[in-house]
Short mmCIF file of all heavy atoms in Angstrom, two decimals:
data_model
loop_
_atom_site.label_atom_id
_atom_site.label_comp_id
_atom_site.label_asym_id
_atom_site.label_seq_id
_atom_site.Cartn_x
_atom_site.Cartn_y
_atom_site.Cartn_z
N THR A 303 -48.78 -8.91 -0.38
CA THR A 303 -50.05 -9.78 -0.23
C THR A 303 -50.29 -10.41 -1.63
O THR A 303 -50.62 -11.63 -1.68
CB THR A 303 -51.22 -8.98 0.27
OG1 THR A 303 -50.82 -8.29 1.48
CG2 THR A 303 -52.40 -9.78 0.56
N LEU A 304 -50.35 -9.59 -2.65
CA LEU A 304 -50.67 -10.10 -3.95
C LEU A 304 -49.70 -11.21 -4.33
O LEU A 304 -50.09 -12.34 -4.78
CB LEU A 304 -50.57 -8.98 -5.00
CG LEU A 304 -50.83 -9.40 -6.52
CD1 LEU A 304 -52.33 -9.62 -6.72
CD2 LEU A 304 -50.27 -8.35 -7.45
N ILE A 305 -48.33 -10.92 -4.15
CA ILE A 305 -47.33 -11.89 -4.59
C ILE A 305 -47.36 -13.17 -3.71
O ILE A 305 -47.28 -14.24 -4.23
CB ILE A 305 -45.92 -11.17 -4.51
CG1 ILE A 305 -45.86 -10.06 -5.60
CG2 ILE A 305 -44.80 -12.19 -4.71
CD1 ILE A 305 -44.70 -9.08 -5.47
N SER A 306 -47.41 -12.96 -2.42
CA SER A 306 -47.37 -14.22 -1.57
C SER A 306 -48.57 -15.10 -1.74
O SER A 306 -48.49 -16.31 -1.68
CB SER A 306 -47.18 -13.82 -0.07
OG SER A 306 -48.08 -12.82 0.36
N SER A 307 -49.72 -14.49 -2.00
CA SER A 307 -51.01 -15.18 -2.22
C SER A 307 -50.79 -16.09 -3.52
O SER A 307 -51.16 -17.26 -3.53
CB SER A 307 -52.26 -14.31 -2.41
OG SER A 307 -52.30 -13.49 -1.24
N PHE A 308 -50.25 -15.43 -4.61
CA PHE A 308 -50.02 -16.09 -5.81
C PHE A 308 -49.13 -17.20 -5.69
O PHE A 308 -49.30 -18.37 -6.22
CB PHE A 308 -49.51 -15.07 -6.86
CG PHE A 308 -49.12 -15.60 -8.19
CD1 PHE A 308 -50.14 -16.03 -9.06
CD2 PHE A 308 -47.86 -15.72 -8.59
CE1 PHE A 308 -49.80 -16.56 -10.35
CE2 PHE A 308 -47.53 -16.19 -9.89
CZ PHE A 308 -48.52 -16.55 -10.73
N LEU A 309 -48.03 -17.06 -5.01
CA LEU A 309 -46.98 -18.11 -4.77
C LEU A 309 -47.56 -19.21 -3.99
O LEU A 309 -47.35 -20.39 -4.26
CB LEU A 309 -45.73 -17.53 -3.94
CG LEU A 309 -44.90 -16.55 -4.89
CD1 LEU A 309 -43.86 -15.86 -4.00
CD2 LEU A 309 -44.28 -17.15 -6.08
N LYS A 310 -48.40 -18.91 -2.94
CA LYS A 310 -48.99 -19.92 -2.12
C LYS A 310 -49.97 -20.80 -2.99
O LYS A 310 -50.04 -22.06 -2.89
CB LYS A 310 -49.78 -19.23 -0.96
CG LYS A 310 -50.57 -20.24 -0.09
CD LYS A 310 -49.89 -20.52 1.30
CE LYS A 310 -50.43 -21.59 2.03
NZ LYS A 310 -51.45 -21.15 3.03
N GLU A 311 -50.70 -20.14 -3.88
CA GLU A 311 -51.63 -20.93 -4.71
C GLU A 311 -50.84 -21.85 -5.71
O GLU A 311 -51.26 -22.99 -5.92
CB GLU A 311 -52.49 -19.92 -5.60
CG GLU A 311 -53.58 -19.18 -4.79
CD GLU A 311 -54.07 -17.96 -5.47
OE1 GLU A 311 -53.79 -17.85 -6.70
OE2 GLU A 311 -54.80 -17.13 -4.85
N LEU A 312 -49.70 -21.41 -6.22
CA LEU A 312 -48.92 -22.25 -7.15
C LEU A 312 -48.33 -23.42 -6.32
O LEU A 312 -48.31 -24.54 -6.88
CB LEU A 312 -47.86 -21.43 -7.72
CG LEU A 312 -48.21 -20.37 -8.75
CD1 LEU A 312 -46.90 -19.69 -9.37
CD2 LEU A 312 -49.06 -20.98 -9.99
N LEU A 313 -47.90 -23.20 -5.09
CA LEU A 313 -47.34 -24.28 -4.32
C LEU A 313 -48.40 -25.34 -4.02
O LEU A 313 -48.15 -26.51 -4.08
CB LEU A 313 -46.81 -23.73 -3.02
CG LEU A 313 -45.46 -22.98 -3.14
CD1 LEU A 313 -45.04 -22.37 -1.80
CD2 LEU A 313 -44.30 -23.86 -3.60
N LEU A 314 -49.67 -24.82 -3.69
CA LEU A 314 -50.74 -25.78 -3.50
C LEU A 314 -51.13 -26.63 -4.68
O LEU A 314 -51.33 -27.83 -4.66
CB LEU A 314 -52.03 -25.02 -3.02
CG LEU A 314 -51.97 -24.49 -1.58
CD1 LEU A 314 -53.17 -23.51 -1.35
CD2 LEU A 314 -51.95 -25.54 -0.52
N GLU A 315 -50.97 -25.95 -5.84
CA GLU A 315 -51.30 -26.61 -7.15
C GLU A 315 -50.31 -27.73 -7.40
O GLU A 315 -50.72 -28.81 -7.88
CB GLU A 315 -51.21 -25.61 -8.32
CG GLU A 315 -51.50 -26.08 -9.64
CD GLU A 315 -53.00 -26.45 -9.84
OE1 GLU A 315 -53.85 -25.68 -9.57
OE2 GLU A 315 -53.23 -27.59 -10.42
N ILE A 316 -49.04 -27.50 -7.07
CA ILE A 316 -48.11 -28.62 -7.39
C ILE A 316 -47.90 -29.54 -6.23
O ILE A 316 -47.14 -30.51 -6.29
CB ILE A 316 -46.70 -27.97 -7.84
CG1 ILE A 316 -46.08 -27.09 -6.73
CG2 ILE A 316 -46.74 -27.22 -9.13
CD1 ILE A 316 -44.66 -26.66 -6.97
N GLY A 317 -48.58 -29.23 -5.06
CA GLY A 317 -48.56 -30.14 -3.94
C GLY A 317 -47.20 -30.15 -3.28
O GLY A 317 -46.77 -31.20 -2.69
N GLU A 318 -46.51 -29.07 -3.28
CA GLU A 318 -45.18 -28.97 -2.68
C GLU A 318 -45.23 -28.19 -1.42
O GLU A 318 -45.81 -27.04 -1.34
CB GLU A 318 -44.22 -28.26 -3.69
CG GLU A 318 -42.75 -28.55 -3.36
CD GLU A 318 -42.31 -29.99 -3.45
OE1 GLU A 318 -43.03 -30.85 -4.10
OE2 GLU A 318 -41.29 -30.34 -2.86
N SER A 319 -44.64 -28.65 -0.31
CA SER A 319 -44.73 -28.00 0.97
C SER A 319 -43.49 -27.19 1.31
O SER A 319 -42.96 -27.29 2.39
CB SER A 319 -44.98 -29.03 2.06
OG SER A 319 -43.88 -29.99 2.10
N LEU A 320 -43.03 -26.34 0.31
CA LEU A 320 -41.96 -25.40 0.65
C LEU A 320 -42.47 -24.35 1.56
O LEU A 320 -43.64 -23.90 1.55
CB LEU A 320 -41.44 -24.78 -0.68
CG LEU A 320 -40.91 -25.64 -1.76
CD1 LEU A 320 -40.65 -24.94 -3.01
CD2 LEU A 320 -39.53 -26.24 -1.21
N ASN A 321 -41.67 -24.01 2.62
CA ASN A 321 -42.25 -23.03 3.58
C ASN A 321 -42.04 -21.65 3.09
O ASN A 321 -40.95 -21.17 2.56
CB ASN A 321 -41.62 -23.26 4.99
CG ASN A 321 -40.24 -22.74 5.13
OD1 ASN A 321 -39.41 -22.95 4.16
ND2 ASN A 321 -39.77 -22.17 6.21
N ILE A 322 -43.15 -20.85 3.10
CA ILE A 322 -43.11 -19.44 2.65
C ILE A 322 -43.46 -18.48 3.84
O ILE A 322 -44.19 -18.92 4.68
CB ILE A 322 -44.27 -19.34 1.45
CG1 ILE A 322 -44.29 -17.90 0.94
CG2 ILE A 322 -45.60 -19.70 1.99
CD1 ILE A 322 -45.06 -17.84 -0.34
N GLY A 323 -42.75 -17.44 3.90
CA GLY A 323 -42.90 -16.51 4.97
C GLY A 323 -42.94 -15.11 4.45
O GLY A 323 -42.17 -14.84 3.51
N VAL A 324 -43.69 -14.20 5.06
CA VAL A 324 -43.73 -12.79 4.67
C VAL A 324 -43.08 -12.00 5.86
O VAL A 324 -43.40 -12.22 7.06
CB VAL A 324 -45.19 -12.31 4.48
CG1 VAL A 324 -45.16 -10.77 4.15
CG2 VAL A 324 -45.83 -13.02 3.28
N VAL A 325 -42.18 -11.15 5.51
CA VAL A 325 -41.45 -10.36 6.43
C VAL A 325 -41.88 -8.89 6.27
O VAL A 325 -41.84 -8.30 5.24
CB VAL A 325 -39.87 -10.50 6.26
CG1 VAL A 325 -39.16 -9.84 7.49
CG2 VAL A 325 -39.48 -11.99 6.19
N GLN A 326 -42.29 -8.29 7.40
CA GLN A 326 -42.74 -6.93 7.41
C GLN A 326 -42.00 -6.12 8.44
O GLN A 326 -41.24 -6.64 9.25
CB GLN A 326 -44.33 -6.81 7.71
CG GLN A 326 -45.16 -7.47 6.74
CD GLN A 326 -46.63 -7.37 7.10
OE1 GLN A 326 -47.03 -7.25 8.33
NE2 GLN A 326 -47.54 -7.33 6.14
N THR A 327 -42.22 -4.75 8.46
CA THR A 327 -41.78 -3.87 9.57
C THR A 327 -42.95 -3.40 10.29
O THR A 327 -44.08 -3.55 9.89
CB THR A 327 -40.94 -2.71 8.96
OG1 THR A 327 -41.87 -1.82 8.37
CG2 THR A 327 -39.79 -3.19 8.00
N ALA A 328 -42.60 -2.55 11.28
CA ALA A 328 -43.66 -1.97 12.19
C ALA A 328 -44.65 -1.06 11.26
O ALA A 328 -45.72 -0.75 11.63
CB ALA A 328 -43.20 -1.21 13.28
N TYR A 329 -44.07 -0.63 10.09
CA TYR A 329 -44.91 0.28 9.23
C TYR A 329 -45.95 -0.45 8.42
O TYR A 329 -46.81 0.26 7.80
CB TYR A 329 -43.96 0.95 8.26
CG TYR A 329 -43.13 2.16 8.80
CD1 TYR A 329 -41.79 1.92 8.98
CD2 TYR A 329 -43.74 3.33 9.17
CE1 TYR A 329 -41.04 2.89 9.61
CE2 TYR A 329 -42.97 4.36 9.74
CZ TYR A 329 -41.63 4.18 9.89
OH TYR A 329 -40.88 5.15 10.47
N ALA A 330 -45.92 -1.88 8.47
CA ALA A 330 -46.92 -2.54 7.74
C ALA A 330 -48.34 -2.24 8.23
O ALA A 330 -48.52 -2.23 9.53
CB ALA A 330 -46.64 -3.97 7.72
N ASN A 331 -49.34 -2.04 7.36
CA ASN A 331 -50.65 -1.77 7.85
C ASN A 331 -51.24 -2.93 8.61
O ASN A 331 -51.10 -4.17 8.14
CB ASN A 331 -51.59 -1.40 6.74
CG ASN A 331 -52.84 -0.76 7.12
OD1 ASN A 331 -53.82 -1.40 7.54
ND2 ASN A 331 -52.92 0.57 7.05
N GLY A 332 -51.85 -2.76 9.75
CA GLY A 332 -52.41 -3.80 10.64
C GLY A 332 -53.38 -4.75 9.78
O GLY A 332 -53.35 -5.96 10.02
N SER A 333 -54.06 -4.14 8.79
CA SER A 333 -55.04 -4.98 8.08
C SER A 333 -54.31 -6.03 7.21
O SER A 333 -54.81 -7.11 7.01
CB SER A 333 -55.84 -4.04 7.17
OG SER A 333 -56.73 -3.23 7.92
N SER A 334 -53.13 -5.66 6.68
CA SER A 334 -52.47 -6.62 5.82
C SER A 334 -51.88 -7.76 6.61
O SER A 334 -51.94 -8.86 6.17
CB SER A 334 -51.22 -5.86 5.18
OG SER A 334 -50.17 -5.62 6.07
N THR A 335 -51.42 -7.50 7.86
CA THR A 335 -50.86 -8.58 8.70
C THR A 335 -52.09 -9.60 9.03
O THR A 335 -51.89 -10.77 8.91
CB THR A 335 -50.38 -8.03 10.01
OG1 THR A 335 -49.41 -6.90 9.68
CG2 THR A 335 -49.55 -9.05 10.78
N ARG A 336 -53.22 -9.05 9.34
CA ARG A 336 -54.35 -9.91 9.68
C ARG A 336 -54.79 -10.63 8.47
O ARG A 336 -55.06 -11.88 8.58
CB ARG A 336 -55.52 -9.00 10.21
CG ARG A 336 -55.46 -8.69 11.67
CD ARG A 336 -56.67 -8.13 12.19
NE ARG A 336 -56.94 -6.72 11.73
CZ ARG A 336 -56.37 -5.57 12.25
NH1 ARG A 336 -55.63 -5.81 13.35
NH2 ARG A 336 -56.67 -4.52 11.76
N TYR A 337 -54.80 -10.01 7.30
CA TYR A 337 -55.32 -10.72 6.06
C TYR A 337 -54.34 -11.88 5.77
O TYR A 337 -54.80 -13.06 5.44
CB TYR A 337 -55.38 -9.80 4.85
CG TYR A 337 -55.76 -10.47 3.60
CD1 TYR A 337 -57.00 -10.71 3.29
CD2 TYR A 337 -54.73 -10.92 2.66
CE1 TYR A 337 -57.44 -11.32 2.08
CE2 TYR A 337 -55.11 -11.52 1.45
CZ TYR A 337 -56.43 -11.75 1.23
OH TYR A 337 -56.84 -12.35 0.06
N LEU A 338 -53.03 -11.63 5.78
CA LEU A 338 -52.03 -12.69 5.47
C LEU A 338 -52.15 -13.90 6.42
O LEU A 338 -52.19 -15.04 6.03
CB LEU A 338 -50.62 -12.11 5.47
CG LEU A 338 -50.29 -11.25 4.24
CD1 LEU A 338 -49.09 -10.45 4.58
CD2 LEU A 338 -50.02 -12.19 3.05
N GLU A 339 -52.25 -13.62 7.70
CA GLU A 339 -52.26 -14.69 8.70
C GLU A 339 -53.55 -15.39 8.77
O GLU A 339 -53.56 -16.61 8.85
CB GLU A 339 -51.88 -14.00 10.12
CG GLU A 339 -50.44 -13.58 10.26
CD GLU A 339 -50.06 -13.01 11.58
OE1 GLU A 339 -51.02 -12.48 12.39
OE2 GLU A 339 -48.94 -13.12 11.98
N GLU A 340 -54.65 -14.55 8.76
CA GLU A 340 -56.02 -15.25 8.99
C GLU A 340 -56.64 -15.76 7.75
O GLU A 340 -57.29 -16.84 7.74
CB GLU A 340 -56.92 -14.23 9.74
CG GLU A 340 -56.43 -13.85 11.11
CD GLU A 340 -57.06 -12.71 11.74
OE1 GLU A 340 -58.20 -12.33 11.26
OE2 GLU A 340 -56.52 -12.16 12.76
N VAL A 341 -56.45 -15.04 6.64
CA VAL A 341 -57.18 -15.45 5.39
C VAL A 341 -56.25 -16.36 4.60
O VAL A 341 -56.64 -17.50 4.21
CB VAL A 341 -57.63 -14.31 4.55
CG1 VAL A 341 -58.32 -14.77 3.19
CG2 VAL A 341 -58.58 -13.48 5.36
N MET A 342 -55.04 -15.95 4.28
CA MET A 342 -54.17 -16.69 3.41
C MET A 342 -53.33 -17.73 4.15
O MET A 342 -52.69 -18.59 3.56
CB MET A 342 -53.14 -15.67 2.70
CG MET A 342 -53.77 -14.86 1.72
SD MET A 342 -54.84 -15.58 0.49
CE MET A 342 -53.75 -16.85 -0.22
N LYS A 343 -53.41 -17.72 5.50
CA LYS A 343 -52.70 -18.64 6.36
C LYS A 343 -51.15 -18.66 5.98
O LYS A 343 -50.47 -19.69 5.96
CB LYS A 343 -53.18 -20.04 6.23
CG LYS A 343 -54.73 -20.23 6.39
CD LYS A 343 -55.02 -20.00 7.91
CE LYS A 343 -56.53 -20.19 8.18
NZ LYS A 343 -57.17 -19.16 8.87
N VAL A 344 -50.62 -17.51 5.74
CA VAL A 344 -49.22 -17.32 5.50
C VAL A 344 -48.56 -16.63 6.73
O VAL A 344 -49.02 -15.69 7.19
CB VAL A 344 -48.93 -16.44 4.29
CG1 VAL A 344 -47.40 -16.11 4.14
CG2 VAL A 344 -49.49 -17.01 2.98
N PRO A 345 -47.55 -17.30 7.30
CA PRO A 345 -46.86 -16.73 8.52
C PRO A 345 -46.25 -15.33 8.22
O PRO A 345 -45.63 -15.22 7.19
CB PRO A 345 -45.86 -17.77 8.98
CG PRO A 345 -45.62 -18.61 7.79
CD PRO A 345 -46.85 -18.57 6.93
N VAL A 346 -46.44 -14.43 9.22
CA VAL A 346 -45.81 -12.99 9.01
C VAL A 346 -44.84 -12.82 10.23
O VAL A 346 -45.11 -13.18 11.30
CB VAL A 346 -46.89 -12.03 9.05
CG1 VAL A 346 -46.28 -10.61 8.97
CG2 VAL A 346 -47.91 -12.28 7.84
N TYR A 347 -43.69 -12.21 9.83
CA TYR A 347 -42.71 -11.86 10.82
C TYR A 347 -42.36 -10.39 10.76
O TYR A 347 -42.33 -9.84 9.66
CB TYR A 347 -41.44 -12.72 10.61
CG TYR A 347 -41.69 -14.22 10.59
CD1 TYR A 347 -42.20 -14.88 9.49
CD2 TYR A 347 -41.47 -14.96 11.79
CE1 TYR A 347 -42.50 -16.21 9.56
CE2 TYR A 347 -41.82 -16.33 11.87
CZ TYR A 347 -42.37 -16.91 10.74
OH TYR A 347 -42.64 -18.24 10.84
N CYS A 348 -42.08 -9.83 11.90
CA CYS A 348 -41.73 -8.41 11.91
C CYS A 348 -40.27 -8.19 12.31
O CYS A 348 -39.81 -8.80 13.21
CB CYS A 348 -42.66 -7.67 13.04
SG CYS A 348 -42.57 -5.88 12.91
#
Side-chain angles (χ1 to χ4, degrees):
T303 305
L304 179 77
I305 292 167
S306 52
S307 304
F308 178 68
L309 294 174
K310 178 101 191 266
E311 286 163 14
L312 290 181
L313 288 173
L314 287 171
E315 181 69 50
I316 60 175
E318 197 63 22
S319 59
L320 296 171
N321 73 322
I322 182 168
V324 176
V325 188
Q326 297 183 328
T327 71
Y329 285 107
N331 196 278
S333 294
S334 74
T335 313
R336 276 192 290 276
Y337 178 82
L338 284 164
E339 290 182 331
E340 294 168 19
V341 180
M342 292 310 303
K343 307 290 187 231
V344 174
V346 179
Y347 301 84
C348 190

